[in-house]
């Protein structure tokens, strides 16, 4: 697999640092919001990616996450609600030499923006989507979102929401997604690592970030993100490595028939050899879908790169079509067009 980000994007001739990507704007997220850690991870990873600063582009919609373009020193567009994916599609297709990133929330992307979200994934346009999932509408003060757990008491569900929530990973893979990863806002090292992998991927990458909204959905992911029990309730997947987790690295995931199951190493003769070995690059999404759907308390929540499969991208194929049309079209200029077909002279 390619170990470098997209080589069609121009590399920087000077060494960049985190400070090169820090904006001079006041960051207005609430103190304690998980978005601060996401912003810091982006500023850390962009110099490592190695593109010219002028070749990075951020696009957002509406929501707390969508303030992102103001807070990172790159080109950016603060779009309208739910339309970041559509804007990013146009940006990337019109200028393939840009590294295009989308900052979006669970409401912005999967409610009003749901149509654009699934189709940018289906088309496999080479953009990187950071999905801030705090399971609530934060900017508009606490309404339930498409990922709010069923039964949650919110401003718009005073007796508990009765809607079945989306699992973003399941939605991405159902839309034929080629790259899906999941991280926690409180683990910046893994966030930086996964964002670098997203940049390397040629196609639509979606990174779901389990983010805390300290005001309207505080500790919404606490059952799996709390440092006290995180190791026993999450598993960090790494390509080519057996699926082991737990504080003592004594638990694992294996395939039993057509289902995943949690096993304890050393019990009933179970060894590391019995465990699944992660293959993020497998084109068949079957195991990836099962991993993306794992949830506590029956399974650990999967973190890291769950899927990274290679397929042709929409933007590459557009470029190929344009090149083919130019090479095979008899009409090369406006003069050729005006003098083609049935023409006559007026004297």
């Amino acid at each position: 697999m390619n170990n470098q980000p997209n080589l069609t994007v121009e590399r920087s001739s000077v060494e960049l640092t985190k400070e090169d990507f820090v904006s001079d704007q006041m960051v207005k997220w609430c103190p304690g919001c998980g978005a601060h850690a996401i912003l810091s991870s982006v500023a850390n990873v962009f110099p490592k990616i190695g593109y010219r600063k002028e070749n990075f582009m951020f696009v957002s919609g509406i929501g707390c996450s969508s303030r992102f373009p103001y807070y990172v020193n790159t080109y950016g567009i603060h779009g309208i609600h739910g339309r970041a994916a559509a804007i990013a599609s146009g940006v990337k297709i019109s200028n393939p030499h840009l590294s295009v990133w989308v900052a979006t929330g669970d409401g912005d992307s999967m409610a009003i923006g749901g149509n654009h979200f699934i189709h940018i994934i289906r088309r496999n346009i080479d953009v990187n989507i950071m999905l801030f999932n705090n399971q609530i509408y934060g900017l508009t003060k606490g309404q339930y979102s498409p990922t709010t757990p069923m039964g949650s008491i919110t401003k718009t569900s005073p007796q508990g929401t009765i809607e079945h929530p989306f699992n973003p990973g399941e939605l991405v893979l159902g839309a034929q997604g080629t790259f899906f990863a999941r991280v926690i806002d409180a683990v910046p090292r893994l966030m930086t690592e996964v964002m670098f992998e997203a940049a390397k991927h040629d196609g639509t990458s979606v990174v779901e970030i389990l983010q805390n909204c300290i005001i309207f959905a505080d500790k919404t992911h606490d059952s799996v993100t709390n440092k006290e029990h995180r190791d026993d309730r999450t598993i960090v997947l790494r390509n080519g490595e057996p699926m082991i987790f737990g504080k003592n690295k004594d638990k694992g995931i294996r395939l039993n028939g057509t289902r995943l199951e949690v096993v304890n190493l050393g019990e009933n003769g179970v060894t590391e050899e019995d465990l699944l070995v992660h293959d993020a690059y497998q084109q068949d999404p079957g195991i990836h879908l099962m991993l993306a759907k794992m949830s506590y308390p029956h399974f650990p929540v999967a973190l890291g790169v769950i899927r990274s499969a290679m397929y042709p991208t929409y933007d590459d194929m557009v470029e190929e079509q344009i090149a083919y049309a130019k090479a095979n079209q008899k009409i090369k200029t406006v003069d050729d067009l005006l003098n083609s077909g049935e023409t006559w002279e007026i004297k």
Side-chain angles (χ1 to χ4, degrees):
M1 300 298 296
N2 176 26
N3 291 319
Q4 292 295 326
N6 192 336
L7 296 178
T8 64
V9 181
E10 190 176 350
R11 313 288 297 176
S12 176
S13 59
V14 297
E15 186 174 348
L16 299 175
T17 67
K18 178 177 181 176
E19 286 66 34
D20 289 304
F21 293 95
V22 174
S23 169
D24 62 357
Q25 299 299 299
M26 180 185 294
V27 178
K28 295 183 180 179
W29 289 316
C30 301
C33 173
H36 291 281
I38 302 170
L39 178 63
S40 179
S41 293
V42 166
N44 279 324
V45 78
F46 273 17
K48 296 178 183 178
I49 292 171
Y51 300 147
R52 293 173 68 244
K53 189 166 73 170
E54 294 80 3
N55 287 86
F56 284 103
M57 174 73 177
F58 255 102
V59 181
S60 68
I62 294 296
C64 292
S65 64
S66 295
R67 293 172 172 170
F68 213 89
Y70 298 109
Y71 303 155
V72 60
N73 189 12
T74 65
Y75 287 115
I77 296 176
H78 188 177
I80 57 177
H81 207 184
R83 305 301 182 253
I87 297 168
S89 298
V91 168
K92 183 63 181 183
I93 294 165
S94 63
N95 189 344
H97 301 297
L98 292 177
S99 177
V100 181
W101 294 71
V102 174
T104 186
D106 42 304
D108 184 54
S109 60
M110 288 181 285
I112 191 170
N115 185 48
H116 297 302
F117 183 68
I118 61 173
H119 289 298
I120 194 172
I121 293 167
R122 175 180 66 85
R123 292 177 177 128
N124 200 32
I125 299 172
D126 186 23
V127 303
N128 308 292
I129 299 173
M130 302 190 317
L131 199 170
F132 297 41
N133 183 6
N134 56 20
Q135 299 186 336
I136 202 75
Y137 278 95
L139 186 68
T140 47
K141 307 300 184 282
Q143 301 90 340
Y144 69 85
S145 81
T147 59
T148 302
M150 198 170 181
S152 297
I153 305 296
T154 74
K155 294 288 183 65
T156 47
S157 57
Q159 295 180 317
T161 174
I162 55 174
E163 294 189 5
H164 294 278
F166 272 139
N167 175 324
E170 187 175 12
L171 185 64
V172 169
L173 270 61
Q176 304 175 51
T178 58
F179 184 104
F180 176 72
R182 185 185 290 125
V183 294
I184 296 171
D185 60 2
V187 187
R189 181 177 296 181
L190 182 61
M191 264 199 294
T192 301
E193 178 185 322
V194 165
M195 287 174 186
F196 188 82
E197 292 298 316
K200 283 164 52 177
H201 181 71
D202 192 16
T204 306
S205 69
V206 180
V207 179
E208 178 193 8
I209 305 167
L210 303 184
Q211 179 211 357
N212 192 49
C213 174
I214 197 168
I215 303 299
F216 297 108
D218 193 25
K219 299 183 179 179
T220 187
H221 301 293
D222 194 59
S223 63
V224 295
T225 62
N226 188 295
K227 192 174 182 179
E228 204 174 303
H229 43 237
R230 185 191 305 154
D231 291 340
D232 286 323
R233 298 180 183 180
T234 63
I235 180 170
V236 178
L237 300 173
R238 299 190 186 282
N239 188 65
E241 296 185 10
M243 299 184 188
I244 298 174
F245 70 102
K247 286 183 180 179
N248 300 316
K249 300 296 181 184
D250 57 353
K251 301 176 185 179
I253 305 292
R254 76 175 179 185
L255 190 63
N256 185 355
T258 59
R259 296 184 178 182
L260 300 181
E261 69 174 357
V262 175
V263 293
N264 294 312
L265 293 172
E267 288 187 7
N268 301 315
V270 175
T271 70
E272 192 174 306
E273 298 296 320
D274 297 307
L275 304 182
L276 269 175
V277 174
H278 187 43
D279 183 0
Y281 304 130
Q282 169 62 248
Q283 289 200 314
D284 187 320
I287 297 294
H288 298 154
L289 180 59
M290 288 193 282
L291 293 169
K293 290 176 67 175
M294 290 196 309
S295 62
Y296 178 77
H298 301 295
F299 291 95
V301 171
L303 304 176
V305 178
I306 295 172
R307 177 169 173 78
S308 183
M310 297 304 295
Y311 283 89
T313 67
Y314 183 94
D315 38 302
D316 283 346
M317 289 188 285
V318 166
E319 287 292 297
E320 289 172 5
Q321 284 190 336
I322 292 171
Y324 179 85
K326 286 180 176 178
N328 293 278
Q329 178 59 258
K330 293 180 180 178
I331 298 172
K332 306 291 185 183
T333 66
V334 174
D335 284 344
D336 292 341
L337 176 64
L338 295 176
N339 290 291
S340 64
E342 295 184 10
T343 63
W344 63 92
E345 293 183 10
I346 300 175
K347 297 183 179 179

